[in-house]
Amino acid sequence: MDGRDLVRSVKAVGSVGAAQGLRTVRAAWRRRRADATGLPPRGPERARVPGTVREVEPGPGGGLIRFSRSDLRIFVAVNGAVFWGWDGAAPEPSYALAGRCPDPDPRAALEPDKDGGWRVVAERMTVVVSRLGAVEVLTPGGVSLRRDLPPRWWEPVGGGAARWMQRSEVPADARFFGLGGRASGPRLRDGTYRLWNTDPGRAFGPGDDPLAITMPVQTVVADAGTHLVFHDNSWDGSVTVREGEEGAGSGHDRAGSSELRMDGGPLRCWVMVGTPARVLLAWASLTGAPALPPAWALGHQHAREGFGGEDEVRRVVAGHLEHGLPLDAVHLGVDHFDSRRVFTVDQERFPKLPVLADELRREGIRLVSVVGPAVGAMPGTPVYDEGAGRDAFVRDAAGEVVRGVSWPGEAVFPDFTHPRVREWWGGLYAERLAQGFAGFWHTLDEPTSFTAFGEPTLPRSARHALDGRGGDHREAHNVYGLCMAGAAYEGLREQAPKERPFVFSRSGWAGMQRYGGAWSGGAVTGWAGLRASLALVLGLGLCGVPHSGPDAGGLNGESSPELYLRRLQLGAYLPLFRTHAGPRAGGRDPWEFGAEVLDHARVVFAERRRLLPYFVTLAYLARRTGAPYVRPLWWSAPEERAVRDCEDAFLLGDCLLVAPVLEPGAERRAVRLPRGRWYDTATERAYEGPGQVLVDAPLGRIPVFARAGAVLPVRGEDGGTELEVWAPGRGRTGGGLVVPDAGDGWEEPGIERYTVRWSGPRIVVERECGDGVGEPPCPVRVRGLGHAQGQM
C-alpha cells in the first residue's frame, strides 16, 4: 500500500459515511501491517544476464539452449505460435491457457545459425537466438518483426522472487496496441502502462491508467507484418513503449521499443505472426474460444442505480414499452440484496422476485444480477458460514482470514485460485437462478486498493492456493477476476446445462473471453469518456476479448441531451449495449430529455434491434475464429498507414464501418475509408477508398458505411431475418457469411455462405450449397443500386 491508498481511505470517511469510512481506514492500516510483516524485504540484489551459449538439447518443435547463466526453452506449437521461456520456464502451469499447452510442431527443429547462434524455422516465421541471448522473430522472407535483447534479472541475495526486464525492438513504422482495456488507446503512444488491475475510484477518462483489465498482450502492426506477443506472467509490472521514427530520407531509422519490467514470476512468452485475423485465431486456439452469449444478451440491456423495489422495476420497464423502446434485459444492482449478505434477496423490497422475473420473461425481458466477491463477515449468515466451514476465504501470512471493506461492510474474500473454492462458489449461483436471473454482472472483482466507493482489497502478502502451487497476492491479484468468472461460468453450465451462461466482468486477465465478456466500468460522462469507451472496446478486442462495452449513460456529471444521444449512438454498435440511469450514473431515461431526444433514441434502439441477426452472426464467428466484433480500420489492410493511425472510427465485422461523433456541436465529420467502395447507409451514396470523405452527421444519427458487395443479415418488419445486400461495383462480385440463431442452447448452427454478382442489369444473390448454389431461404433487399449502375 502507498500514500495514495491512505489518502483515498481518508476521503472515504466523508464520502461513504462515517462508519463505513472508519472501517476503510482500519482495513487500510491492517493491510499495511500485514505487508510489512508478511512480505520479505528486498535487501541487496544481484544482477544477471544469460551469458553465452554453452550447449543445445534439441527437442520436439525446438529444444533447450543452455547459456552460461540461464536456460532458454523454445519451440513452435502446432497452431503456428512460438513459445520461449527463460530459466527453463515451461508453458504450464498457466491461467491463460485453455487446457493443456498445444503440441509442438514436429516439422520445426533447432538448427545452427551464424555467429554461434541457433534458429527455429516455422511456416510463418523464423526465430533466431544469438549466442548472447537475443531472440529475433523474422518473416519467412527474412524481415525482422521483433528483436528481444538479452533479458536482465535482479535477484535478492538472500533468495526470493527476482525482478526482471525485457527490452524489445520493433520496426520504425510499427504501432503498438493492446495491453488490455486502456482508456488512452487503442493505439499505445509513448509512455508507461502499468500491469495491475485497478479501479481508479472515480469515473475514468483517457488520462487514467491502469484500469480494471490489464494484460501483458501486445498487438504490433508494421509494414512487414502483424504479430501478437504475450508474456505469460500475472505479477505487477509495467510496459514502456516508444514508437520509432523513420529516417525521412536519411536512411537512418530509429527503431520502436517496448520495455517490460516485472516484479517477479517467470519470463516466458508466446508470439503469433500473420494477418490480424490469423493472429487472433492462433490466440483463441491458445487461450480459449470466446464464450457465446445468448441472443437476448446482444440486445438492449438497462441498469438503473437505486431500484427501490419491484414496483420501480415494473415502472422502468413500462416506460420503455410505452415509449416504443425495445428492452431485452434489466440489471439489478446491490440494492436488491439483503443488507450485508451475498446471494440473499431483500424480501421487503423484492418479496416476489421469481414472479417478477417470470412476468418479464413473458415480455421477452431477462433479469441480470450483480455479483461481487466480497462476503459480509457476519457469522450466522449462510454464505459466510459455508465459506468459513470450507476454509474458502483468503488468509494472510500469519494464517488469519483477511478482512477488508466492501458493500456488505466488513468483508472476507474467497480464494478463487483454489479449485475447491471455485466449485463451491459456482454452486452458489443456484440461488440466483432460482430467483429467476438469467445473467450475471461481476463487479468489484479486481480486487483493488481502497477508494471512496469502499472497493474490496487484499494485501500483497495474502496467501493464495494458486491451484496447488501456493503463493501470495502479488501473483494472484491480476487473475482473481478471471478465476471468479471461471467459477461462475462452470457453475452455471452445471446447474443450467441447456442454456448458455451470460457472465460479464469488470476485471479479468488473458483468457477471460472463454468465460464471458467485459464491462468497462464507469467512463466519465463528458466527451472525453466517449473516446475512452471506444478505446477500451477496441483494445480488448485486440487482446482476444470480443464481447465488451461501456455504460451508455456514463458515470458522474450531468449528461447533456446531445452527449446522451452521441453515447447512445455509439453504444448501439458495440457488442455489449447497456444503458445506465441513476443519480451517480449521470444518466437519465430517454423520455426524460424531451420529445426530440426520445424520437432520436427510438431510431437508435430500432437500429440495434434491426441489426440483431448481424450481431448473432458476429458472435458465432468470434467463437469460431477469435475475431472481435469491433475491429480497427486496419484489420483487413494493416499495411495501409493512413488507416493504421485512425482511432475515431471502427469496423463492425466485415460489412459495416461506424464513425461515431466524438466532438460537441458537430453536424458533419471527416471519415477515413479503407480500400474499396463504401456506401453511406443513410443516403446510399457510394465513396471510393482509400481516402477521407466529409459526410453529414446530424444529431439524429452518426455516419455508418456498408462495404460494397456485403451481405448483411437484418431483422425484418415481421421479425424474421432478411438479407440486406449492398451492390458491388459493375463487373465485381461480393458475398458474406450468415449464421442463423439456433436459440440459447448449445446447438451449433451451420454457416450460410452467399455470393453476390451481376447478371446483366440485375444483381443475383445465391446461397452456396454442398452440390452447387441455391436461392436464399429468406427475403433479399438490394441497396445501393442507383449508385452502382455504370460505375467500375
Side-chain angles (χ1 to χ4, degrees):
M1 186 183 75
D2 57 27
R4 286 176 295 182
D5 294 325
L6 287 176
V7 170
R8 290 170 179 167
S9 301
V10 171
K11 288 181 178 179
V13 174
S15 62
V16 298
Q20 187 82 328
L22 289 173
R23 292 191 193 101
T24 301
V25 174
R26 285 198 299 267
W29 281 112
R30 286 199 300 266
R31 177 174 178 238
R32 186 177 185 183
R33 288 199 305 269
D35 285 345
T37 59
L39 291 177
R42 293 294 317 178
E45 296 177 321
R46 182 188 300 111
R48 173 170 61 95
V49 294
T52 56
V53 173
R54 294 299 188 215
E55 60 178 329
V56 171
E57 296 180 8
L64 188 67
I65 304 176
R66 298 191 183 278
F67 293 78
S68 56
R69 290 182 290 275
S70 185
D71 295 338
L72 176 67
R73 186 189 308 275
I74 184 169
F75 70 88
V76 177
V78 290
N79 67 347
V82 62
F83 168 85
W84 66 80
W86 286 97
D87 289 344
E92 298 179 45
S94 169
Y95 283 105
L97 300 188
R100 299 301 303 272
C101 171
D103 293 332
D105 187 343
R107 299 171 297 176
L110 266 178
E111 55 188 56
D113 196 55
K114 60 185 179 181
D115 300 326
W118 292 79
R119 68 180 181 178
V120 182
V121 179
E123 179 183 359
R124 298 178 192 134
M125 72 184 97
T126 298
V127 184
V128 177
V129 182
S130 77
R131 67 182 184 89
L132 295 177
V135 182
E136 187 171 18
V137 179
L138 303 99
T139 67
V143 180
S144 179
L145 292 175
R146 181 182 195 87
R147 184 172 186 267
D148 284 8
L149 302 180
R152 183 181 295 271
W153 293 267
W154 290 270
E155 299 172 323
V157 173
R163 299 184 297 119
W164 55 264
M165 181 269 286
Q166 174 71 75
R167 190 172 188 274
S168 309
E169 295 178 346
V170 297
D173 66 286
R175 297 291 183 262
F176 298 94
F177 302 86
L179 295 182
R182 302 286 171 170
S184 58
R187 175 179 159 194
L188 303 174
R189 288 175 168 77
D190 295 1
T192 299
Y193 301 86
R194 190 179 178 193
L195 298 169
W196 188 254
N197 291 351
T198 305
D199 172 52
R202 62 188 184 282
F204 63 82
D208 291 305
D209 184 77
L211 296 177
I213 302 177
T214 67
M215 57 182 80
V217 180
Q218 288 185 55
T219 300
V220 184
V221 183
D223 287 352
T226 300
H227 73 273
L228 181 148
V229 58
F230 166 51
H231 285 87
D232 194 351
N233 185 316
S234 62
W235 284 62
D236 191 2
S238 65
V239 177
T240 300
V241 300
R242 184 184 182 190
E243 291 184 347
E245 185 175 339
E246 295 181 283
S250 68
H252 297 285
D253 292 347
R254 175 175 60 79
S257 66
S258 173
E259 184 178 280
L260 173 63
R261 291 179 177 266
M262 303 297 290
D263 287 350
L267 200 175
R268 57 184 181 176
C269 76
W270 290 89
V271 175
M272 284 137 264
V273 173
T275 64
R278 187 180 292 274
V279 163
L280 267 295
L281 177 61
W283 176 250
S285 72
L286 183 71
T287 61
L292 185 65
W296 61 263
L298 296 170
H300 168 225
Q301 305 182 52
H302 181 71
R304 187 174 186 86
E305 198 175 331
F307 270 122
E310 294 177 2
D311 290 341
E312 177 71 5
V313 174
R314 290 186 174 93
R315 186 192 67 80
V316 171
V317 170
H320 281 80
L321 299 180
E322 176 186 346
H323 293 96
L325 304 175
L327 183 62
D328 297 278
V330 173
H331 294 222
L332 300 187
V334 297
D335 46 284
H336 82 281
F337 285 122
D338 192 0
S339 176
R340 301 192 68 184
R341 300 189 184 191
V342 177
F343 296 110
T344 305
V345 172
D346 186 327
Q347 291 299 320
E348 291 186 5
R349 287 179 295 169
F350 294 89
K352 298 179 180 180
L353 194 52
V355 175
L356 173 63
D358 188 60
E359 290 177 11
L360 296 181
R361 190 176 286 250
R362 288 198 295 269
E363 296 283 349
I365 302 169
R366 268 71 169 183
L367 277 183
V368 174
S369 171
V370 70
V371 178
V375 176
M378 294 182 63
T381 56
V383 177
Y384 177 81
D385 288 348
E386 281 186 31
R390 296 170 181 266
D391 190 22
F393 302 126
V394 176
R395 295 180 178 270
D396 61 21
E400 299 294 325
V401 173
V402 176
R403 296 196 174 204
V405 176
S406 187
W407 64 42
E410 192 168 56
V412 294
F413 303 89
D415 181 7
F416 295 119
T417 69
H418 197 303
R420 171 174 49 79
V421 176
R422 290 197 296 271
E423 182 179 4
W424 165 67
W425 186 264
L428 296 178
Y429 286 76
E431 187 276 344
R432 301 280 84 193
L433 293 173
Q435 294 291 339
F437 288 104
F440 302 92
W441 153 34
H442 286 183
T443 189
L444 309 186
D445 53 339
E446 287 79 14
T448 189
S449 301
F450 293 107
T451 72
F453 300 133
E455 304 290 357
T457 185
L458 293 170
R460 290 173 178 258
S461 58
R463 305 302 300 172
H464 289 268
L466 291 171
D467 285 84
R469 291 182 291 114
D472 58 41
H473 196 62
R474 292 175 296 175
E475 182 177 357
H477 174 87
N478 282 337
V479 299
Y480 191 86
L482 168 74
C483 293
M484 179 182 173
Y489 185 83
E490 296 301 333
L492 291 167
R493 284 198 63 172
E494 182 176 340
Q495 294 156 40
K498 295 183 179 180
E499 296 185 5
R500 301 194 299 271
F502 177 54
V503 178
F504 66 103
S505 308
R506 188 171 78 174
S507 182
W509 201 64
M512 64 179 295
Q513 75 277 354
R514 60 182 181 262
Y515 304 127
W519 162 62
S520 61
V524 292
T525 306
W527 292 92
L530 196 57
R531 287 185 175 272
S533 298
L534 177 56
L536 281 162
V537 175
L538 279 165
L540 287 171
L542 293 174
C543 292
V545 185
H547 190 89
S548 67
D551 278 339
L555 182 66
N556 289 347
E558 186 68 18
S559 181
S560 68
E562 179 192 12
L563 178 56
Y564 175 82
L565 277 175
R566 295 310 192 191
R567 292 190 68 93
L568 201 65
Q569 290 162 351
L570 170 61
Y573 291 98
L574 300 180
L576 178 62
F577 179 35
R578 185 175 92 155
T579 53
H580 199 156
R584 191 170 66 87
R588 293 179 281 171
D589 291 310
W591 54 89
E592 298 180 88
F593 285 96
E596 182 183 11
V597 171
L598 178 59
D599 287 342
H600 292 322
R602 285 196 187 99
V603 174
V604 173
F605 287 115
E607 180 64 4
R608 175 63 177 224
R609 179 57 59 94
R610 192 181 77 91
L611 289 176
L612 271 180
Y614 185 48
F615 276 96
V616 168
T617 292
L618 294 179
Y620 277 101
L621 294 179
R623 178 167 181 80
R624 298 188 186 195
T625 68
Y629 310 23
V630 171
R631 309 166 186 177
L633 295 192
W634 47 261
W635 177 260
S636 299
E639 71 280 0
E640 293 186 18
R641 295 193 179 188
V643 295
R644 192 189 299 168
D645 293 336
C646 181
E647 299 179 279
D648 62 355
F650 61 90
L651 298 175
L652 183 60
D654 289 329
C655 298
L656 298 179
L657 186 156
V658 182
V661 173
L662 304 174
E663 302 290 344
E667 295 183 355
R668 308 192 80 194
R669 66 150 292 177
V671 180
R672 175 70 61 178
L673 297 178
R675 185 183 307 137
R677 173 172 294 169
W678 297 87
Y679 292 96
D680 184 329
T681 58
T683 64
E684 299 193 13
R685 179 179 174 182
Y687 297 90
E688 295 292 336
Q692 183 169 280
V693 298
L694 187 64
V695 295
D696 291 334
L699 185 61
R701 62 178 173 85
I702 57 176
V704 177
F705 295 83
R707 189 190 302 272
V711 177
L712 194 71
V714 298
R715 181 186 175 105
E717 294 184 0
D718 61 354
T721 299
E722 297 180 353
L723 297 184
E724 181 176 277
V725 176
W726 289 88
R730 273 289 189 174
R732 298 186 179 274
T733 60
L737 305 177
V738 175
V739 183
D741 182 18
D744 294 338
W746 295 97
E747 181 182 348
E748 286 287 341
I751 297 179
E752 299 176 358
R753 302 176 184 272
Y754 292 92
T755 58
V756 181
R757 61 181 176 84
W758 284 92
S759 178
R762 57 188 291 268
I763 285 181
V764 176
V765 180
E766 296 172 320
R767 178 183 176 184
E768 295 183 5
C769 304
D771 55 351
V773 296
E775 293 289 330
C778 56
V780 175
R781 184 163 69 103
V782 178
R783 299 186 64 185
L785 272 174
H787 295 274
Q789 294 282 0
Q791 296 185 18
M792 298 295 293

